[in-house]
Amino acid sequence: MSKGDKVVILDFWASPFCARVKIALEEKDVPYVSNEEDLFGGKSELLLKSNPIHQKVPVLLHNDKPVTESAIIVSYIDEVWPSNSLLPTCAYARAQDRFWADFIDKKVFDGGRSIWASNGEEREVAVKDFLEVLKHLEEALGDKEYFSGTGDDFGYVDIIAIPHSAWFLAYEKLGDFKVEDHSPKISAWIKRCLEKESVKNVLPDPEKVYQFVLHFRKMSGLD
Ligand code: GS8
């Protein structure tokens, strides 16, 4: 890829899906411009044109060509800028990484939403389900440092998973539990990832995310 590559992200500060893309680009030392979208006031024409089916962020515009869906974008980044590989070279290990990325995609954000967008008994059930998801992840991590590949290096699955941790404070406060009490290995992995420049530079402040969630609950008539 030439030095003159133009890389733009249609972005939203609190989105864990957008954070994946930014962390991947930071890991590859690829400079990018972030175009913050107003998801609630009115999406840009560029977003509607670039992602007409889902109309969601993130969109990666690589030399003006759109790529959508964060897990697909992270794979794309790994292929276009191959140094410092994020996915393992062994086909079997890649399939394992993709399994966990898919599991995280299907379970974590929506599981978290079930906690913060509910009340009472419904919320209690949501917390139980969420802890079950974390238990699976805790087992998958085992004694490895990281999720991806052999577990020695921060990679694809870590990039897919870590942005969700910025929302954990909101889940903990509203669900009245502590991730650390149930999943100490996940908790240690979050701290390990947060020591990385790429993650530190990108993840939003969990307190700010919590305030955003509270605001959203109010607007939705939940409080
Ligand atoms: C999810 C993107 C998404 O939910 C991905 O890229 O991985 N599967 C997609 N984006 C949200 C912001 S974060 O919750 C979004 O753009 N929402 C706007 C809308 O739904 O109108």
Side-chain angles (χ1 to χ4, degrees), residues 20-203:
R20 291 171 174 176
V21 176
K22 290 179 278 187
I23 293 171
L25 291 170
E26 297 257 343
E27 282 290 311
K28 301 281 185 177
D29 274 330
V30 175
Y32 61 89
V33 171
S34 152
N35 276 11
E36 185 75 6
E37 285 286 331
D38 182 356
L39 293 184
F40 305 100
K43 296 171 184 171
S44 72
E45 280 303 315
L46 187 55
L47 173 57
L48 300 180
K49 188 178 89 185
S50 311
N51 191 358
I53 306 280
H54 297 304
Q55 308 189 345
K56 289 185 179 196
V57 292
V59 174
L60 178 82
L61 293 161
H62 182 204
N63 297 330
D64 299 319
K65 285 195 304 201
V67 187
T68 57
E69 286 294 319
S70 60
I72 294 172
I73 301 172
V74 175
S75 287
Y76 174 82
I77 290 170
D78 204 28
E79 285 174 26
V80 175
W81 293 279
S83 68
N84 189 17
S85 257
L86 302 175
L87 273 154
T89 39
C90 158
Y92 186 76
R94 283 167 93 88
Q96 298 309 303
D97 266 26
R98 292 204 155 109
F99 169 83
W100 285 109
D102 182 61
F103 175 79
I104 291 159
D105 253 359
K106 287 179 174 141
K107 300 286 183 185
V108 179
F109 195 66
D110 289 346
R113 180 200 288 273
S114 301
I115 297 173
W116 67 256
S118 62
N119 283 314
E121 211 172 296
E122 202 185 319
R123 190 188 279 174
E124 278 172 32
V125 173
V127 170
K128 268 204 197 108
D129 290 348
F130 188 75
L131 291 175
E132 202 55 34
V133 170
L134 286 189
K135 198 169 146 221
H136 286 306
L137 290 173
E138 178 94 356
E139 280 165 13
L141 183 63
D143 293 323
K144 297 185 298 184
E145 297 264 293
Y146 296 106
F147 278 102
S148 289
T150 56
D152 298 323
D153 297 306
F154 179 80
Y156 183 70
V157 183
D158 303 285
I159 291 178
I160 296 298
I162 192 62
H164 292 294
S165 71
W167 286 65
F168 283 6
L169 180 72
Y171 307 159
E172 289 180 332
K173 288 208 173 191
L174 288 160
D176 193 24
F177 69 99
K178 284 256 178 230
V179 169
E180 197 169 8
D181 296 342
H182 299 269
S183 304
K185 287 177 180 168
I186 294 291
S187 200
W189 165 82
I190 293 171
K191 289 191 185 109
R192 201 171 301 129
C193 291
L194 281 170
E195 282 165 16
K196 296 192 75 71
E197 283 300 313
S198 60
V199 177
K200 229 189 294 183
N201 289 344
V202 166
L203 286 202

